[in-house]
Amino acid sequence: PHRMRLSAWVWVTGADDNAQLVFTLGLPAPNTPPLFSTRLFLADNWPYKRWTYLSRDIDLPPEFPSQSQLNVYLWHCTAQNAVFADDWQLTELH
């Protein structure tokens, strides 16, 4: 794939809860930094204290090894309150 869309419904209490949805592409070897990484900052999206749809189109590097591993996760970071992500979707765009 050359382009993907990452989307989820997210819940954040307020602007200080800087959790992130993280997308990485890298080799499946321990202690190896990712070849590519991007983050979606949940607190940048309002209104707060309600479920909000978050989506980002991601252009992948032109070439990456076929054994690359894709990881998508919610990172709590320094959020002081609970943050949530639900109904995640990762879609290839043509």
Side-chain angles (χ1 to χ4, degrees):
H2 299 287
R3 189 171 184 151
M4 313 269 318
R5 176 172 294 145
L6 173 60
S7 62
W9 285 88
V10 299
W11 174 283
V12 180
T13 302
D16 294 333
D17 295 322
N18 63 341
Q20 303 165 16
L21 290 180
V22 181
F23 175 101
T24 65
L25 184 65
L27 297 175
N31 301 319
T32 304
L35 304 169
F36 175 80
S37 178
T38 190
R39 300 166 188 275
L40 289 76
F41 295 90
L42 276 58
D44 289 348
N45 297 280
W46 51 273
Y48 302 113
K49 297 183 181 179
R50 69 168 47 158
W51 287 102
T52 304
Y53 182 74
L54 180 63
S55 176
R56 160 113 20 106
D57 291 351
I58 303 167
D59 292 317
L60 299 177
E63 294 183 18
F64 52 89
S66 61
Q67 70 270 24
S68 295
Q69 179 175 315
L70 187 143
N71 295 296
V72 180
Y73 57 93
L74 174 62
W75 183 30
H76 193 262
C77 202
T78 60
Q80 299 298 308
N81 299 295
V83 294
F84 303 97
D86 197 12
D87 297 332
W88 300 50
Q89 288 190 335
L90 185 61
T91 309
E92 180 181 1
L93 300 176
H94 300 278

